[in-house]
């Protein structure tokens, strides 16, 4: 099943090959040890046992998770029985750990992801008071690939109509994310939502906004360990540097990005006080994306500013 997902759904040669090799290795280990002959379908009392959850899966991600779980349980059983005759057990254990990596890689490939483009631009009408829509338009014309609409103080109707206009500017050109408001993300048919620690839990968001990008904010080590176990497309970490947008939040520096890079496979978006001078530091620390508000919103030539920031991290 995992091989089919990698091969036919994701079209990924590398991971398909890895799973195939793993399968062959397992067969040869089992054959060498005559395990295959212990199988007896007719007399197997487990054949007719199915549990309700097995007959329904919500999405591809749950198929991968359920099947990886089955493979892992099967390997565990062989590993235990294998202890009776020595070395096969260790080899099966290696396969089991390899399986965990495969499950993680497949899950990441299945979750919808942010475009492969280092700038995550947050547009906020409070940070850019004049010509807001032409400002957004200029960013898209200058190649922006990720735009998040953040509007903490707009009423629903205003948020919605602003969102509609941004949706039409970004359509087909740029990934459009909504901050905080999953209800508006749904009604605007955005590509994703960014949730803070006080917003709807990811598990609930997944149910009502399936197959979409869900990102969450992390400020502490604890946030990070929670995020590790959630089906999110990315995590944001910050504020990294001093920022006037969140004056009440103390900057956390680059440490959490470095730790996250070692501990989680999820894409990392660095945020907070990022500008031309310091943008390289966040990528050097391990971030995959830099999110910016003021650096671009306060520029007289936002398109030019975007290109300058991009140049700092791509040359
Ligand atoms: N979350 C953490 S810092 C921040 C948010 C929304 C503000 C980022 O704005 P700026 O102007 O790029 O510092
Ligand atoms: Mg928020």
């Amino acid at each position: 099943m995992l091989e089919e997902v990698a091969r036919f759904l994701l079209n990924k040669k590398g991971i398909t090959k890895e799973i195939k090799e793993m399968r062959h290795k397992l067969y040869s280990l089992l054959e060498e040890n005559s395990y295959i002959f212990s199988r007896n379908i007719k007399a197997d009392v487990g054949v007719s046992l199915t549990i309700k959850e097995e007959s329904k899966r919500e999405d591809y991600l749950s198929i991968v998770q359920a099947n990886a779980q089955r493979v892992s349980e099967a390997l565990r059983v062989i590993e235990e029985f294998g202890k009776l005759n020595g070395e096969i057990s260790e080899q099966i254990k290696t396969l089991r750990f390899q399986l965990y990596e495969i499950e993680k890689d497949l899950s990441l490939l299945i979750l919808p992801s942010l475009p492969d483009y280092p700038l995550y631009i947050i547009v906020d009408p409070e940070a850019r008071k004049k010509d807001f829509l032409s400002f957004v338009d200029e960013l898209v014309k200058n190649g922006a690939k990720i735009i998040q609409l953040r509007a903490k103080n707009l009423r629903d109707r205003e948020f919605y109509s602003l969102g509609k206009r941004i949706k039409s500017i970004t359509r087909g050109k740029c990934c459009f994310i909504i901050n905080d408001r999953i209800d508006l993300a749904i009604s605007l048919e955005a590509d994703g939502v960014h949730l803070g620690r006080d917003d709807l839990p990811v598990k609930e968001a997944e149910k009502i906004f399936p197959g979409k990008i869900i990102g969450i904010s992390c400020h502490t080590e604890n946030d990070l360990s929670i995020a590790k176990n959630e089906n999110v497309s990315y995590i944001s970490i910050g504020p990294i540097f001093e920022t006037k947008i969140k004056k009440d939040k103390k900057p956390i520096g680059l440490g959490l990005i470095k730790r996250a890079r070692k501990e989680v496979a999820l894409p990392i978006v660095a945020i907070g006080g990022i500008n031309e001078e310091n943008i390289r530091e966040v990528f050097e620390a391990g971030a995959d994306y830099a999110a910016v508000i003021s650096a671009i919103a306060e520029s007289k030539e936002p398109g030019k500013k975007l290109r300058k920031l991009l140049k700092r991290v791509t040359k």
Side-chain angles (χ1 to χ4, degrees):
M1 211 31 249
L2 299 176
E3 199 173 322
E4 270 68 40
V5 170
R7 183 172 163 191
F8 298 113
L9 181 74
L10 300 168
N11 242 323
K12 296 280 178 195
K13 207 168 174 180
I15 193 160
T16 306
K17 186 164 171 271
E18 203 182 334
I19 302 173
K20 189 172 177 181
E21 284 168 359
M22 193 178 164
R23 182 164 53 80
H24 283 281
K25 171 89 186 152
L26 178 63
Y27 282 156
S28 69
L29 280 172
L30 294 179
E31 240 161 54
E32 275 166 32
N33 291 273
S34 315
Y35 275 69
I36 213 81
F37 303 118
S38 340
R39 188 109 200 226
N40 177 354
I41 302 277
K42 281 191 193 130
D44 185 351
V45 290
V47 171
S48 59
L49 299 178
T50 43
I51 47 173
K52 207 161 155 245
E53 287 75 46
E54 281 181 8
S55 52
K56 190 172 177 286
R57 304 267 182 245
E58 295 290 332
D59 48 29
Y60 292 124
L61 188 62
S62 32
I63 290 177
V64 164
Q65 287 171 339
N67 282 281
Q69 175 77 22
R70 284 174 80 146
V71 181
S72 146
E73 281 161 11
L75 290 177
R76 246 280 186 238
V77 171
I78 304 170
E79 199 178 315
E80 282 306 309
F81 281 112
K83 286 178 185 164
L84 292 170
N85 74 351
E87 75 220 39
I88 184 182
S89 181
E90 272 309 304
Q91 298 185 61
I92 296 286
K93 188 174 177 184
T94 309
L95 288 181
R96 190 161 54 83
F97 281 104
Q98 200 182 334
L99 169 78
Y100 296 147
E101 285 300 310
I102 287 174
E103 181 189 358
K104 193 177 71 189
D105 293 347
L106 279 181
S107 305
L108 279 179
L109 288 167
I110 284 175
L111 286 166
S113 53
L114 290 172
D116 188 11
Y117 178 86
L119 291 182
Y120 182 126
I121 303 168
I122 304 177
V123 295
D124 183 332
E126 280 180 49
R128 177 83 186 191
K129 294 231 160 51
K130 63 175 176 48
D131 308 330
F132 189 66
L133 289 171
S134 50
F135 159 70
V136 178
D137 192 45
E138 184 174 340
L139 297 177
V140 175
K141 288 203 169 99
N142 277 275
K145 290 280 167 280
I146 309 166
I147 286 196
Q148 183 200 103
L149 174 59
R150 177 181 192 266
K152 295 273 181 193
N153 296 316
L154 288 189
R155 288 169 181 274
D156 288 13
R157 189 64 72 98
E158 284 175 306
F159 197 138
Y160 176 75
S161 50
L162 189 61
K164 269 272 199 226
R165 303 181 74 170
I166 296 180
K167 166 92 188 181
S168 75
I169 296 172
T170 54
R171 181 174 285 122
K173 301 190 187 104
C174 176
C175 172
F176 180 36
I177 311 269
I178 299 289
N179 188 47
D180 297 341
R181 298 289 304 270
I182 191 159
D183 53 343
L184 286 159
I186 295 169
S187 59
L188 288 163
E189 295 176 21
D191 300 300
V193 67
H194 183 87
L195 301 171
R197 312 310 299 189
D198 303 325
D199 300 319
L200 201 64
V202 174
K203 277 244 160 329
E204 296 307 311
E206 276 181 85
K207 285 187 204 157
I208 58 175
F209 205 32
K212 297 290 189 164
I213 294 172
I214 299 178
I216 44 168
S217 310
C218 294
H219 308 290
T220 63
E221 188 74 45
N222 188 42
D223 294 343
L224 194 64
S225 48
I226 297 169
K228 265 191 232 175
N229 300 314
E230 305 207 88
N231 291 329
V232 289
S233 296
Y234 71 88
I235 53 170
S236 76
I237 297 184
I240 305 298
F241 306 110
E242 201 86 48
T243 168
K244 56 182 154 207
I245 305 281
K246 287 210 173 184
K247 284 205 190 77
D248 54 322
K249 279 232 149 82
K250 254 181 77 178
I252 58 170
L254 297 161
L256 199 59
I257 299 181
K258 292 182 185 161
R259 256 168 285 146
R261 184 72 297 156
K262 288 199 195 114
E263 292 169 22
V264 295
L266 291 167
I268 298 169
V269 178
I271 185 166
I274 298 173
N275 56 37
E276 251 181 275
E277 280 67 55
N278 60 27
I279 192 165
R280 284 173 90 112
E281 291 175 44
V282 300
F283 287 93
E284 279 158 14
D288 303 289
Y289 299 86
V292 287
I293 302 183
S294 319
I296 288 187
E298 289 177 2
S299 169
K300 284 205 176 74
E301 295 174 295
K304 204 164 161 190
K305 188 69 174 185
L306 178 160
R307 283 184 277 116
K308 273 189 175 169
L309 284 164
L310 196 61
K311 212 161 157 211
R312 295 283 296 151
V313 290
T314 46
K315 69 174 180 193

